[in-house]
Amino acid sequence: MNNIEEIKNRIDIVDLISENVKLRRSGKNYTGFCPFHSNTRTPAFVVWPETGTWRCFGECNEGGDIFRYVMKKEGVDFKQALKILAERAGIELQPLTPQAKQEVERSEVLRKILEEAVIFYRHQLRKTDAGNQAQAYLREKRGINAETEEEWGLGYAPNSWDAISNHFKQKGYAIQDLIDAGLVSERDDGRVYDRFRHRVMIPIRDIYGKMAGFGGRVLDPEDVPKFMNSPQTILFDKSAILFGLDKARKAIRSANQAVIVEGYFDVIVPHQEGFQNIVSPMGTALTEAQMRQLKRFTRQFVMALDPDAAGQKATLRGLEVAREALDREGVPVFNARGYLQYESRLKADLRVSTLPDDLDPDEIVLRDREEWKQIIINARPIIYHVLDTLISGQDIEDPKVKSTIAAQILPLVEDISSPIERDAYRQYIARTLKIDERSLAETTIRKTPRRRATKRGQDSGAARPVIPLSELSSEQEKLERIEQEIIVFLACEPENRYKIDRFLRACELNHLSLADFIHTENQEMIRVIFDSLSQDEMEPVQYIGERIDISDIRTEVSHSPRQEEEKQGISKVRKLEETARLILQIRQISINQELKELRFLQSEQAEMNEEHSNTGNELLMRSAALIKKLKLIQLALNQPINID
Ligand SMILES: [Zn+2]
């Protein structure tokens, strides 16, 4: 949704509309003939650059922002309008350039070479003496059967400096192709040699099963490194590939859980034994790109990692990445001062299992399948694991240490969506650190905003300071803020729409509608909320949650600050009444705006000294109707609002 702001910033509404409508400048504003209804007598179409809005005071009697304009003009929905305007704003991705096309073609060539190399290494494994020894190692030492060997395309790279390059040279490939595919390496003097020698070869495929590179494991314990990957190539970006995901994705989805391990055999062997929801970031910490791929299939992750210290550090780094990469849901919270705030919670369940006896996952699975199952079932929520890791080797009697650890662990607690779970964790942390739970709660409230880089590089952290409504400078900002507050409230409790409608009717006012919202993106969200109430497939809140990412709402929202005596928080009814008041307020603001526009149009027509008494009357009647509505709204606002 950030793009919407960016698009609005970049596109000048006057430029946009001028393409189809001859606009006449008048003071700060522009008038013209409405493009949506046939009209050649009076310009009743007004554009307000200051607010980025337009309105037709003629037959259409409607208006909005640039999105609404494009939707109406092109007859498209919001998504398409967004696409059109994004392109215009230069935000949309460009189509393939000739250079990009070339790269795609090059990738195809290199991929073909890698597929060919799989066949070459397989042949070496099965048909040569040295390869047979490697095969025996796989069978006897790693417990890999023939079927698995075939399925994963395991092979053997002969102990030679030029076996693979000779093989490909005979087939007419250029050395440069082999270098680019990562199969041979180049010395400083320009001579080349086979990158993988005397190793078990493991093909690494991308999420779609396309060849990307190889992992090679030593057979001679003296050789280093133990594992060696393809170098970075246009096909192989280690940080963007999860080993095994092409074969695991189905199982991950059906188990609704992904198990993350460290090595290749930790994926292959459990897969053979029936545990197929396993992937590996190939010995490094999880990256954001890897996490993004995974979360398409599940939101539940178990990290099954080595218990050694390095493993734990990697785990912590991996968890940090996971937290950054996973989306959050915005949960509006009323805090003690009566502010409505978003707190973002992770839409994921992260767990860690530590492995016993210095064993790797493949060894445990082979030792006892049931044991592996239990280890995964018993994986602990990350908080316990992180707390243990942070505490180990520290003097937790030291107040400074207590405070540092609390500051590190509390953001993880805040990620959890269930308030009950959060409480339980805080209690646990307080007990472990031997501190008072209340001081822990205070630390939580005063937590520093978490940095979350946005496209514009701004800090849109979860706990940005809330600016009270009364301090917002322009009506426009106020309007936007209020719209968002209403959306947040209704997104959490959509059924309240009916209570609000009953209240509005009692005030002789129209029920809540999309037209109450100026910003098209907000209209779209209200539409989803309304839709949630007219479907019966799922709970309305769930329906909304699947369609709106409230954390995308740009501005932190707040109600106006309340008196000190209301420190206890606000009851649900009060929230409802407050929302009803906000709806009256946005109507008041937009009617005032509309009246201002009307007066402008009237003076405009008077100035042009045109004899169009009919349209003049029309405008007068419209003003009168608006003033009548405004009075009803003011009446309702002047009384205490009682709902329920
Ligand atoms: Zn019109």
Side-chain angles (χ1 to χ4, degrees):
M1 285 283 173
N2 277 336
N3 279 343
I4 290 172
E5 275 309 302
E6 190 68 31
I7 290 166
K8 281 185 177 172
N9 284 339
R10 286 201 199 179
I11 292 180
D12 183 73
I13 188 167
V14 176
D15 282 351
L16 178 75
I17 294 177
S18 294
E19 285 178 8
N20 306 96
V21 182
K22 197 162 179 281
L23 290 175
R24 197 180 82 88
R25 192 193 171 112
S26 172
K28 285 180 180 175
N29 314 307
Y30 294 79
T31 55
F33 291 111
C34 175
F36 305 126
H37 75 274
S38 58
N39 168 335
T40 47
R41 288 192 312 159
T42 328
F45 186 81
V46 189
V47 179
W48 302 82
E50 219 169 40
T51 53
T53 54
W54 58 274
R55 188 186 299 278
C56 166
F57 286 95
E59 223 171 282
C60 314
N61 189 28
E62 73 170 272
D65 54 16
I66 51 172
F67 293 98
R68 176 62 48 197
Y69 177 80
V70 170
M71 284 161 78
K72 200 166 158 62
K73 190 177 152 291
E74 309 292 340
V76 297
D77 65 9
F78 180 65
K79 259 194 188 146
Q80 288 168 300
L82 184 63
K83 217 176 145 198
I84 292 168
L85 288 173
E87 211 161 295
R88 187 188 168 100
I91 286 171
E92 192 76 326
L93 290 171
Q94 299 297 317
L96 275 189
T97 60
Q99 194 199 341
K101 259 188 208 149
Q102 237 173 10
E103 263 173 43
V104 170
E105 282 161 18
R106 185 76 185 137
S107 304
E108 292 307 317
V109 172
L110 299 182
R111 209 163 260 140
K112 221 178 124 209
I113 290 174
L114 291 180
E115 291 290 359
E116 183 83 39
V118 173
I119 295 168
F120 173 81
Y121 291 136
R122 290 263 325 123
H123 177 85
Q124 297 293 319
L125 183 83
R126 293 184 306 166
K127 307 287 179 191
T128 66
D129 285 347
N132 287 163
Q133 281 173 33
Q135 197 172 38
Y137 160 83
L138 289 175
R139 292 276 195 287
E140 286 149 30
K141 294 271 167 37
R142 310 304 306 220
I144 289 172
N145 62 33
E147 205 182 310
T148 301
E149 183 199 291
E150 178 72 39
E151 187 185 350
W152 292 81
L154 304 182
Y156 170 70
N159 198 2
S160 151
W161 295 94
D162 55 12
I164 198 123
S165 40
N166 284 337
H167 173 77
F168 278 101
K169 263 193 260 173
Q170 277 170 15
K171 290 184 163 271
Y173 284 98
I175 284 296
Q176 192 57 48
D177 292 339
L178 304 181
I179 295 172
D180 291 350
L183 291 174
V184 305
S185 302
E186 200 174 9
R187 259 189 267 269
D188 287 342
D189 63 7
R191 288 164 61 203
V192 296
Y193 58 96
D194 289 7
R195 179 178 174 87
F196 300 99
R197 297 174 310 279
H198 191 42
R199 283 172 184 264
V200 166
M201 296 301 286
I202 302 150
I204 299 167
R205 296 177 182 273
D206 68 13
I207 186 171
Y208 307 107
K210 290 184 179 167
M211 268 309 283
F214 285 97
R217 192 205 187 276
V218 293
L219 284 160
D220 183 345
E222 300 291 300
D223 283 351
V224 284
K226 199 166 147 196
F227 285 97
M228 185 161 128
N229 293 317
S230 292
Q232 175 97 15
T233 69
I234 60 172
L235 297 182
F236 190 68
D237 177 2
K238 193 177 169 187
S239 66
I241 292 179
L242 275 165
F243 177 71
L245 185 55
D246 58 315
K247 293 186 174 64
R249 48 193 286 186
K250 234 170 134 184
I252 290 173
R253 186 165 271 155
S254 60
N256 190 21
Q257 182 189 60
V259 176
I260 295 153
V261 297
E262 282 181 282
Y264 300 106
F265 294 118
D266 298 334
V267 174
I268 296 172
V269 172
H271 188 97
Q272 170 182 296
E273 300 302 315
F275 304 102
Q276 294 170 343
N277 58 333
I278 303 178
V279 293
S280 162
M282 299 181 276
T284 53
L286 268 179
T287 66
E288 201 174 325
Q290 290 167 337
M291 212 62 205
R292 269 204 305 273
Q293 292 178 29
L294 266 187
K295 74 177 186 194
R296 287 163 52 191
F297 307 105
T298 185
R299 298 279 173 171
Q300 302 197 51
F301 308 97
V302 176
M303 318 237 175
L305 304 171
D306 278 358
D308 60 48
Q312 295 198 348
K313 256 188 217 153
T315 310
L316 288 189
R317 272 205 313 277
L319 292 174
E320 195 48 47
V321 167
R323 290 182 59 238
E324 292 295 320
L326 290 163
D327 358 313
R328 288 150 193 285
E329 54 191 345
V331 181
V333 175
F334 278 85
N335 70 14
R337 287 169 59 207
Y339 286 94
L340 178 64
Q341 276 186 324
Y342 277 116
E343 299 202 352
S344 58
R345 312 267 187 233
L346 217 52
K347 286 197 277 189
D349 179 3
L350 295 169
R351 287 168 191 262
V352 176
S353 60
T354 30
L355 304 176
D357 307 332
D358 263 349
L359 290 178
D360 285 332
D362 60 324
E363 294 169 308
I364 294 167
V365 170
L366 289 175
R367 176 167 88 174
D368 183 354
R369 294 179 74 248
E370 200 49 40
E371 186 183 1
W372 172 257
K373 223 186 231 171
Q374 286 308 316
I375 287 171
I376 299 304
I377 289 170
N378 295 330
R380 294 195 305 168
I382 53 165
I383 288 168
Y384 295 124
H385 176 84
V386 175
L387 191 60
D388 285 353
T389 311
L390 291 173
I391 283 174
S392 86
Q394 300 274 355
D395 174 17
I396 59 161
E397 299 301 327
D398 181 343
K400 271 233 156 64
V401 171
K402 286 179 203 269
S403 132
T404 313
I405 292 176
Q408 284 174 283
I409 194 114
L410 282 171
L412 294 179
V413 179
E414 292 309 308
D415 275 350
I416 294 162
S417 358
S418 154
I420 295 168
E421 273 181 59
R422 280 202 302 279
D423 266 357
Y425 287 128
R426 279 199 208 99
Q427 284 165 15
Y428 176 82
I429 294 166
R431 269 203 314 277
T432 311
L433 293 176
K434 296 180 203 158
I435 49 180
D436 191 288
E437 217 185 300
R438 276 168 304 178
S439 60
L440 207 57
E442 268 175 42
T443 316
T444 307
I445 288 167
R446 291 203 213 105
K447 69 183 170 182
T448 47
R450 186 188 303 121
R451 291 196 68 84
R452 250 173 67 195
T454 65
K455 286 198 181 73
R456 271 176 285 173
Q458 287 171 347
D459 183 12
S460 69
R464 247 188 316 166
V466 174
I467 306 165
L469 264 184
S470 55
E471 284 171 26
L472 283 180
S473 54
S474 72
E475 292 283 281
Q476 200 59 21
E477 274 176 292
K478 251 184 229 177
L479 210 54
E480 176 138 30
R481 172 76 66 82
I482 295 175
E483 286 185 2
Q484 290 172 347
E485 286 190 31
I486 295 166
I487 289 166
V488 172
F489 176 74
L490 285 176
C492 297
E493 291 174 59
E495 284 87 357
N496 277 321
R497 174 199 179 180
Y498 301 122
K499 288 183 180 171
I500 287 171
D501 277 350
R502 278 201 294 279
F503 162 75
L504 291 172
R505 212 167 45 218
C507 300
E508 293 177 64
L509 294 164
N510 293 339
H511 54 71
L512 185 67
S513 77
L514 301 192
D516 282 319
F517 297 80
I518 293 289
H519 302 85
T520 312
E521 68 271 27
N522 293 342
Q523 287 179 356
E524 292 299 309
M525 287 196 258
I526 283 292
R527 189 199 303 281
V528 170
I529 291 169
F530 286 0
D531 287 351
S532 79
L533 294 167
S534 52
Q535 54 82 42
D536 51 14
E537 271 169 39
M538 55 182 96
E539 284 297 306
V541 171
Q542 191 194 348
Y543 180 93
I544 294 165
E546 286 183 5
R547 287 162 181 82
I548 303 181
D549 195 350
I550 299 187
S551 55
D552 274 350
I553 293 180
R554 191 178 52 93
T555 328
E556 286 296 328
V557 289
S558 87
H559 284 268
S560 32
R562 262 176 207 82
Q563 284 87 24
E564 281 301 298
E565 62 259 30
E566 283 178 18
K567 267 189 175 168
Q568 301 311 313
I570 312 164
S571 69
K572 279 192 168 181
V573 178
R574 282 300 315 276
K575 274 201 275 180
L576 180 60
E577 290 169 353
E578 188 58 29
T579 304
R581 177 178 296 279
L582 290 174
I583 291 165
L584 295 175
Q585 280 179 6
I586 53 170
R587 288 189 177 177
Q588 193 180 30
I589 293 173
S590 31
I591 290 178
N592 276 323
Q593 173 78 12
E594 215 172 312
L595 281 170
K596 213 165 86 187
E597 293 170 6
L598 264 175
R599 277 195 293 275
F600 163 77
L601 206 58
Q602 283 165 331
S603 67
E604 184 75 348
Q605 289 183 1
E607 202 177 291
M608 285 164 84
N609 216 4
E610 283 175 15
E611 284 296 310
H612 295 303
S613 51
N614 269 353
T615 27
N617 278 344
E618 234 173 69
L619 295 183
L620 277 179
M621 277 163 63
R622 197 150 278 164
S623 291
L626 285 175
I627 288 167
K628 193 179 158 204
K629 247 196 242 170
L630 190 62
K631 277 188 179 151
L632 286 172
I633 291 168
Q634 276 161 349
L635 197 68
L637 276 170
N638 286 337
Q639 290 165 357
I641 293 173
N642 286 311
I643 305 186
D644 225 314

